[in-house]
Amino acid sequence: MDQKKMNRVLVASLVGSSIEWFDYFLYGTVAALVFNQVFFVTEDPAIGTILAFASFALAFFIRPFGGIIFSHIGDRIGRKKTLVLTLSIMGIATFGMGLLPTYQAIGIWAPILLITLRLIQGLGIGGEWGGALLLAVEYAPAEKRGLYGSIPQMGITIGMLLGTIALSIMTLLPEGSFMTWGWRVPFILSALLVVFGLWVRKGIDETPSFKNVQEKGEIPKIPLFTTLKTHWREVLIAIGAKVVETAPFYIFSTFVVSYATTNLGFSRTAILNSVMIGTIVTTILIPVMGALSDRVGRKPLYVYGTIAMAIYAFPYFWLVNQESVALLVIATVLGLGIIWAPITAVLGTMFSEIFSAEVRYTGISLGYQIGAAVAGGTAPLVAATLLLKFNNSYIPVALYIIFTAVISLLAIWAVKDRRGQELDI
């Protein structure tokens, strides 16, 4: 395959992934700033925030179902068709959120409609990640698979960056304007990004791995059953390995928005800007770490990042609690930018290499999305609840980060590194 076509595949993988995650993260940040006041209206603001985070967490629990539905299509009909479907679903749900009337206008129907659209988002992202990753990995030459597999992972942080930039601009509006219509603008404009993403994906072909499975007539009737029968150990490894990649990420990027503004008196702009700087750093480092994994292996990099995450848990909160904007930025850059980068950069490629081609979409989606459901969406909720229970002490939240690192280290104990070897296609 010539480099021009390969570049198109990588762009299609990255653009679609970025748009999906932009839509997804936009909700998380707005949940912390707006939804507790316009959709989840209660007398106690802390309860409103917990309800908003609970609605954020809900989509994580639907993600495994999205993974099952769309990976079934992906393993039976093809990666490309599935990706067009997931991007369309995600775009419609996000656009709809931007048009929703508030609790003050329609009462209880406002949060019900919001949660329904959030669940549709969860279905879309559940199927998107696996397809975007396989598009890059299954086309990649063996010696560059780590680099290529890290490209769709950049979509996570680019999407988050776009969401944060959009909201940072909107928070410059007067408070009243931001709360009534300003927060809606990024949701509505996301429709333009979706149209662009669909156009880019239109021009790519099916992956060599899927074509090979088709030619051999090895497409499973029900990929989920085949995966659970033949690859259940790999699914468990993937679930466990995902834990340290997802929980600290949402603490550093979502939970901290409400923690730093409510408990420590930081301005919204200061915390959003620190998350934005951390996200820029990690976006630059992800492909660097992906390329490095082609030289030293996926597992060593992942282990290094996980141990660093455990060591950093207490220093992170200590830095944030100094109530200095400079130290807040340093804390976020170290956690979200530098320590998290090697973990996320190698995760997708490492997962792809432990599943065989006929169930690869289903296997990686199950592991990734169940891990995200168990530890990702619940992370801001767990952290907010721990704060409430332990009188605003950050110690239990730091211990929670260490706990996630221990789980992930145990999970990947038996993984063999397949750097440089041909994929089982």
Side-chain angles (χ1 to χ4, degrees):
M1 185 181 192
D2 64 46
Q3 194 56 46
K4 194 176 173 187
K5 274 188 182 171
M6 191 65 229
N7 289 344
R8 172 118 196 180
V9 166
L10 288 177
V11 168
S13 175
L14 179 61
V15 166
S17 181
S18 301
I19 295 164
E20 292 266 2
W21 289 106
F22 166 74
D23 288 356
Y24 197 71
F25 284 132
L26 199 53
Y27 187 100
T29 312
V30 176
L33 299 175
V34 179
F35 290 168
N36 57 340
Q37 294 173 59
V38 298
F39 287 107
F40 304 99
V41 180
T42 62
E43 286 177 18
D44 183 349
I47 301 296
T49 302
I50 285 176
L51 285 173
F53 279 145
S55 73
F56 176 73
L58 263 180
F60 286 80
F61 292 105
I62 204 83
R63 268 168 62 172
F65 296 101
I68 290 165
I69 293 163
F70 292 111
S71 61
H72 178 87
I73 300 168
D75 275 333
R76 283 192 58 77
I77 297 168
R79 320 310 196 203
K80 181 192 163 178
K81 291 185 181 78
T82 313
L83 286 172
V84 169
L85 203 54
T86 55
L87 191 55
S88 306
I89 284 170
M90 195 74 172
I92 291 164
T94 308
F95 182 74
M97 283 178 184
L99 302 177
L100 274 186
T102 62
Y103 183 89
Q104 288 82 355
I106 59 166
I108 192 69
W109 281 104
I112 289 171
L113 289 170
L114 180 70
I115 287 167
T116 304
L117 291 174
R118 179 63 176 163
L119 292 177
I120 293 169
Q121 273 194 335
L123 286 174
I125 205 82
E128 163 71 24
W129 178 82
L133 182 81
L134 293 188
L135 204 59
V137 167
E138 291 185 342
Y139 267 116
E143 70 281 1
K144 288 186 178 174
R145 200 159 55 234
L147 170 62
Y148 285 20
S150 70
I151 300 296
Q153 292 298 89
M154 290 169 69
I156 300 172
T157 48
I158 289 172
M160 187 175 157
L161 196 56
L162 289 173
T164 310
I165 290 169
L167 274 176
S168 290
I169 293 167
M170 290 299 145
T171 54
L172 298 175
L173 289 166
E175 181 74 11
S177 303
F178 174 72
M179 293 303 287
T180 47
W181 61 267
W183 67 268
R184 296 174 182 276
V185 175
F187 285 85
I188 292 166
L189 289 181
S190 73
L192 299 174
L193 293 174
V194 170
V195 171
F196 174 66
L198 290 171
W199 174 76
V200 171
R201 283 186 171 174
K202 193 169 174 280
I204 53 170
D205 202 4
E206 197 43 81
T207 72
S209 290
F210 182 75
K211 282 182 178 173
N212 200 4
V213 171
Q214 260 185 329
E215 283 163 17
K216 289 179 180 174
E218 290 176 354
I219 291 175
K221 277 195 170 64
I222 303 177
L224 175 64
F225 293 170
T226 309
T227 306
L228 294 176
K229 187 180 174 185
T230 60
H231 287 74
W232 61 270
R233 283 186 191 83
E234 288 81 359
V235 171
L236 289 176
I237 288 167
I239 292 169
K242 173 69 180 161
V243 170
V244 76
E245 188 257 6
T246 195
F249 174 81
Y250 287 106
I251 287 170
F252 296 156
S253 64
T254 304
F255 164 73
V256 75
V257 175
S258 96
Y259 176 67
T261 50
T262 310
N263 293 56
L264 304 175
F266 283 102
S267 70
R268 272 200 304 233
T269 309
I271 182 61
L272 289 175
N273 286 345
S274 74
V275 170
M276 189 160 69
I277 294 163
T279 309
I280 291 168
V281 172
T282 201
T283 306
I284 294 163
L285 281 181
I286 284 171
V288 174
M289 294 296 171
L292 185 60
S293 81
D294 285 321
R295 291 168 54 195
V296 303
R298 328 285 177 227
K299 191 173 172 179
L301 264 188
Y302 177 91
V303 169
Y304 148 75
T306 304
I307 291 169
M309 187 66 80
I311 293 168
Y312 183 61
F314 277 98
Y316 168 74
F317 280 103
W318 182 84
L319 287 167
V320 171
N321 274 266
Q322 299 311 299
E323 297 183 25
S324 146
V325 173
L327 289 178
L328 175 70
V329 171
I330 290 167
T332 310
V333 167
L334 282 172
L336 190 59
I338 294 169
I339 294 171
W340 186 73
I343 301 173
T344 201
V346 303
L347 196 77
T349 312
M350 191 163 75
F351 286 3
S352 303
E353 290 173 338
I354 61 176
F355 290 97
S356 54
E358 73 277 7
V359 294
R360 188 172 290 136
Y361 202 142
T362 302
I364 64 169
S365 296
L366 266 184
Y368 190 92
Q369 303 305 351
I370 293 172
V374 170
T378 56
L381 190 58
V382 168
T385 309
L386 287 172
L387 269 190
L388 204 59
K389 190 171 171 58
F390 292 94
N391 206 21
N392 287 334
S393 167
Y394 66 75
I395 292 170
V397 186
L399 289 171
Y400 173 61
I401 292 174
I402 294 167
F403 175 64
T404 65
V406 171
I407 288 173
S408 291
L409 285 174
L410 291 172
I412 64 140
W413 195 263
V415 170
K416 291 184 176 66
D417 210 290
R418 295 192 56 200
R419 167 177 54 103
Q421 295 174 22
E422 287 301 324
L423 262 188
D424 166 26
I425 63 166

